[in-house]
Amino acid sequence: MNSSPSSRPSWQLPTGVTRGSLDYIESAAIADGYDEDLAFGSDFQFDEETIANFIPSEGLVADLGCGTARALIPLVRRGNRGLAVDLSPEMLRIVAEKAKQEQLDIACVEANLCELDMIANQSVDHAICMFSTLGMIKGADNRRTFLDHTYRMLKPGGRFVVHVHNFWFNLFEPNGAYWLASHLVKSRMTKGMERGDKYYRYRGIPNFFLHVFSRGEFARALKQSGFKVVRQIPLRMDRQGELPNSWLFGGWRASGWIALCEK
């Protein structure tokens, strides 16, 4: 019998996955309520339009950290083939149910995003990694491993769309200025903590982990793995569109960014 995440020693946790994040990943209740809790509102419509305008409508698209594949399914409906990759068997169960119901061409792969060796070099036409999934990977080295894998699996000229949240946007959250000040000190003094590492309660899961990025950190991470960043779209505070007048302190005001990249 598998140990529960709460009883599993730290060395048994998957690479780049915290205990709280694994509780989230392995929860059937969260998977079953995922689409209902995160309704397909206008914030998703902006993401969907951005992806559709950048990703060509032919070829295989890998959704890395797919959840219930809410970003992938619109692409497959229009003509792409899909590869849904996630560490959560519960999320992939729902993806498979959706694909069967609509007869969509989606293959599912259960895998840790830091361990994607089973996906062959240059076997994927395009890739997406949305809803701050990149930030769920703990450790800069582990995030680099994931981005390296993504670059490796893409065919030459392949396109990649990825979203993250903004570290400095905490200034606009309740008690955010205090959190920023204390975090900047704590992250310098605490072994294993990087600037931008956050732990908080999310959808009933305590100590959920998320790394939030500065604009420069995000761009550097992509370029270090070989990607050409075509555009880094700053998002409005409500995430329902592009931030207007981003030249005015956009590095602070943006809630996050969607990066459009090419190999």
Side-chain angles (χ1 to χ4, degrees), residues 103-179:
Q103 297 184 330
L104 298 174
D105 188 356
I106 299 177
C108 295
V109 174
E110 183 180 336
N112 184 349
L113 294 183
C114 301
E115 300 168 342
L116 296 176
D117 302 271
M118 76 293 294
I119 302 178
N121 294 351
Q122 299 185 14
S123 62
V124 171
D125 293 289
H126 310 288
I128 58 177
C129 181
M130 301 303 293
F131 314 118
S132 205
T133 299
L134 176 61
M136 290 179 64
I137 301 173
K138 187 177 190 308
D141 290 344
N142 293 325
R143 292 188 290 273
R144 171 70 184 268
T145 296
F146 162 65
L147 291 172
D148 286 350
H149 272 303
T150 304
Y151 189 87
R152 173 189 59 77
M153 71 177 68
L154 283 173
K155 295 177 182 178
R159 294 187 169 186
F160 179 43
V161 183
V162 55
H163 165 263
V164 299
H165 287 302
N166 181 11
F167 173 75
W168 295 108
F169 188 71
N170 284 283
L171 285 168
F172 301 95
E173 301 287 354
N175 300 314
Y178 172 79
W179 179 87

Side-chain angles (χ1 to χ4, degrees), residues 52-63:
N53 289 336
F54 188 66
I55 298 291
S57 58
E58 296 180 347
L60 177 65
V61 178
D63 188 349

Side-chain angles (χ1 to χ4, degrees), residues 6 10 13 20 24 35 43 48 57 61 67 92 105 110 116 129 145 149 153 158 188 196 208 236 242 244:
S6 58
S10 297
L13 295 174
Y24 175 89
D35 287 339
D43 57 338
E48 183 178 340
S57 58
V61 178
L92 292 177
D105 188 356
E110 183 180 336
L116 296 176
C129 181
T145 296
H149 272 303
M153 71 177 68
R188 292 180 65 89
F208 181 82
R236 280 171 20 190
E242 184 172 353

Side-chain angles (χ1 to χ4, degrees), residues 160-218:
F160 179 43
V161 183
V162 55
H163 165 263
V164 299
H165 287 302
N166 181 11
F167 173 75
W168 295 108
F169 188 71
N170 284 283
L171 285 168
F172 301 95
E173 301 287 354
N175 300 314
Y178 172 79
W179 179 87
L180 272 172
S182 60
H183 175 76
L184 287 170
V185 174
K186 189 175 181 180
S187 62
R188 292 180 65 89
M189 300 177 63
T190 305
K191 183 179 179 180
M193 176 179 283
E194 300 171 359
R195 193 191 80 170
D197 286 355
K198 297 184 69 174
Y199 292 87
Y200 57 100
R201 190 174 188 86
Y202 179 63
R203 299 185 69 199
I205 300 295
N207 292 320
F208 181 82
F209 173 83
L210 185 69
H211 182 83
V212 290
F213 296 73
S214 69
R215 178 170 55 190
E217 177 191 7
F218 184 33

